[in-house]
């Protein structure tokens, strides 16, 4: 559930350097300034560099307010009293179970990949949060997304199937995957032969080769699994048709996304399109987010930094590879569009406690589930029906997890009293 921009490792989560801040600003300025500095994206009027330099950059102004030195400890270094409502339950499974129970009542609304977001947007079931609002700023949303080609996410195998514009292109993808299997097999055989030839007295060399063999064997297994699923999709007329249809769906959107055009053949353009798609959220969750942002802005005269909104399962799984806080289940909360993360890295104790008190009140009303995470984020999940799911549903989800992982030991819950003074409490 952590911020998109924090998944690349803990060092990145502590502070953004100048280059990273410039990257974030550049990625979001294409909407704020109505100009996309990307060769693959058409745009209307592009403001000249000289004009930009002479005008006030609202994005930079907002970021400066967020990162402004408070003159006191901030973020995880601030001494704050965390409300019970924003701490983990004694049984840590309950936090995700509450959200999963709510999600199951709307299973058709879960987004597996970026293509799944398009019909939800077209039907108005997802609302866009512009990068810079009057009371908030999208601070790092989509920061870790890549510009790789769009793919279909197969939930059964957790494999990504490249989208294709034609059956011929699809067939070429399958052939390329089969060649990759052969190459991986050959590499494994060569490494194995080299290891067998290595003198037994050269233990260091043999140990190094053994590690490379293990790595090659793992890569081959992964390549085979992906190729198997890809070939199965191509062999099935219905699934083959679905791959072509998803490509067409995204192509139509990219040609005219409310006046903006994105070239799906261009790496940077694909990344910008993905970032924009990650800037959507369910209207009911947006209402709660705006309510929180309005109060925060009124009290502290700063825009509320929002670090994550909707995240398709495919993107969530990518984040889980590097982010310990990212949910790994089949229905992560963000995939519903009902969850958002708020970034408190630069907030003083007073700012954090105010924010947490507002969210704790919403939780007491039964409108949200929430948790103050150790990596500078507060995760908020808005219940779709405006109320907490039935306890029987929650208990059922927990029971299923127990049966699925009978030997799994629970991590000890955080202390239920006292203050939080350090990161990673």
């Amino acid at each position: 559930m952590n911020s998109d921009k924090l998944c690349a490792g803990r060092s990145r989560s502590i502070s953004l350097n100048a280059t990273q801040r410039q990257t974030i600003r550049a990625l979001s300025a294409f909407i704020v300034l109505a100009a996309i500095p990307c060769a693959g994206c058409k745009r209307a009027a592009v403001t000249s560099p000289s004009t930009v330099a002479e005008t006030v950059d609202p994005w930079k102004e907002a970021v400066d307010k967020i990162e402004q030195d408070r003159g006191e400890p901030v973020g995880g270094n601030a001494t704050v009293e965390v409300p019970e409502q924003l701490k983990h339950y004694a049984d840590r499974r309950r936090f995700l179970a509450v959200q999963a129970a709510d999600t199951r009542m709307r299973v058709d609304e879960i987004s597996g990949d970026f293509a799944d977001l398009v019909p939800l947007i077209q039907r108005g079931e997802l609302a866009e949060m512009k990068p810079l609002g009057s009371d908030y700023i999208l601070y790092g949303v989509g920061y870790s997304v890549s510009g790789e080609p769009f793919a279909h996410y197969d939930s059964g195998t957790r494999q990504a199937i490249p989208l294709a514009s034609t059956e011929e292109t699809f067939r070429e993808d399958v052939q390329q995957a089969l060649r990759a299997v052969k190459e991986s097999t050959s590499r494994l055989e060569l490494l194995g032969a080299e290891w067998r030839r290595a003198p037994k007295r050269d233990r260091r060399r043999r140990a190094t080769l053994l590690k490379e063999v293990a790595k090659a064997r793992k890569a081959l297994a992964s390549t085979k699994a992906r190729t198997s699923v890809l070939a199965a999709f191509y062999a099935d007329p219905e699934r083959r048709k679905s791959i072509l249809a998803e490509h067409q769906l995204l192509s139509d959107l990219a040609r005219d996304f409310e006046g903006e055009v994105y070239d799906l053949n261009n790496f940077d353009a694909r990344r910008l399109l993905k970032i924009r798609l990650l800037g959507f959220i369910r209207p009911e969750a947006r209402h709660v987010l705006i309510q929180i942002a309005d109060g925060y802005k009124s009290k502290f005269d700063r825009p509320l930094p929002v670090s994550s909104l909707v995240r398709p399962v495919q993107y969530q799984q990518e984040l889980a590879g590097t982010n310990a806080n990212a949910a790994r289940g089949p229905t992560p909360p963000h995939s519903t569009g009902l969850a958002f993360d708020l970034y408190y890295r630069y907030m003083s104790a007073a700012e954090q406690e105010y924010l947490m008190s507002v969210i704790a009140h919403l939780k007491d009303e039964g409108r949200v589930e929430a948790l103050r995470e150790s990596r500078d984020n507060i995760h908020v999940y808005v219940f779709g029906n405006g109320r907490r799911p039935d306890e029987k549903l929650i208990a059922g989800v927990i029971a299923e997890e127990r049966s699925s992982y009978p030997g799994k030991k629970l991590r000890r819950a955080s202390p239920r009293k006292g203050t939080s003074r350090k990161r990673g409490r």
Side-chain angles (χ1 to χ4, degrees), residues 1-2 96 311 316-317 320 323-329 331-334:
M1 270 79 68
N2 210 347
L96 285 175
R311 294 201 299 232
Q316 181 76 18
Q317 296 299 336
N323 179 356
N325 282 352
R328 291 162 170 76
T331 57
H334 282 279

Side-chain angles (χ1 to χ4, degrees), residues 92-207:
R92 289 200 168 204
R93 284 177 288 220
R94 182 177 173 81
F95 172 65
L96 285 175
V98 170
Q99 298 169 83
D102 185 71
T103 298
R104 289 186 180 187
M105 295 185 289
R106 282 172 297 280
V107 68
D108 293 336
E109 299 175 2
I110 297 170
S111 55
D113 50 46
F114 285 97
D116 286 341
L117 299 176
V118 180
L120 296 175
I121 292 171
Q122 293 173 338
R123 295 196 299 265
E125 295 176 27
L126 283 176
E128 185 169 14
M129 301 285 292
K130 297 298 183 182
L132 182 62
S134 57
D135 302 324
Y136 72 87
I137 180 174
L138 301 191
Y139 190 80
V141 171
Y143 181 83
S144 298
V145 75
S146 77
E148 293 300 318
F150 286 92
H152 168 81
Y153 179 74
D154 181 52
S155 59
T157 60
R158 294 193 174 189
Q159 292 288 337
I161 313 300
L163 300 185
S165 57
T166 65
E167 291 199 6
E168 181 180 354
T169 302
F170 199 173
R171 183 169 58 254
E172 290 174 357
D173 289 339
V174 175
Q175 294 300 321
Q176 183 177 349
L178 291 171
R179 287 193 293 272
V181 170
K182 290 182 179 180
E183 291 172 2
S184 294
T185 301
S186 297
R187 173 169 171 71
L188 178 59
E189 291 174 350
L190 288 172
L191 286 171
E194 189 175 352
W195 175 78
R196 287 189 294 272
R197 288 195 303 268
K200 291 186 177 181
R201 63 179 178 276
D202 192 350
R203 295 181 178 180
R204 179 176 296 180
R205 174 61 176 163
R206 288 175 66 83

Side-chain angles (χ1 to χ4, degrees), residues 6-41:
L6 303 180
C7 72
R10 185 164 180 75
S11 61
R12 182 177 293 176
S13 71
I14 295 176
S15 172
L16 294 175
N17 58 38
T19 301
Q20 292 171 322
R21 285 198 297 269
Q22 291 174 0
T23 301
I24 295 174
R25 292 166 185 162
L27 291 173
S28 299
F30 76 99
I31 292 181
V32 178
L33 302 177
I36 307 176
C38 156
C41 306

Side-chain angles (χ1 to χ4, degrees), residues 318-340:
E318 292 175 8
L319 293 180
T322 53
N323 179 356
N325 282 352
R328 291 162 170 76
T331 57
H334 282 279
S335 68
T336 64
L338 289 166
F340 56 85

Side-chain angles (χ1 to χ4, degrees), residues 262-304:
Y262 302 85
D263 181 1
L264 294 187
N265 295 314
N266 180 276
F267 183 94
D268 292 330
R270 286 194 300 264
R271 185 163 188 249
L272 287 175
L273 177 55
K274 289 179 181 179
I275 289 173
R276 185 171 177 187
L277 289 171
L278 292 171
F280 280 76
I281 192 172
R282 296 278 175 182
E284 52 267 48
R286 185 181 189 280
H287 174 73
V288 173
L289 175 52
I290 294 299
Q291 176 185 337
I292 296 172
D294 179 65
Y296 176 81
K297 177 70 180 297
S298 297
K299 189 170 182 65
F300 299 102
D301 192 31
R302 302 181 195 278
L304 180 68

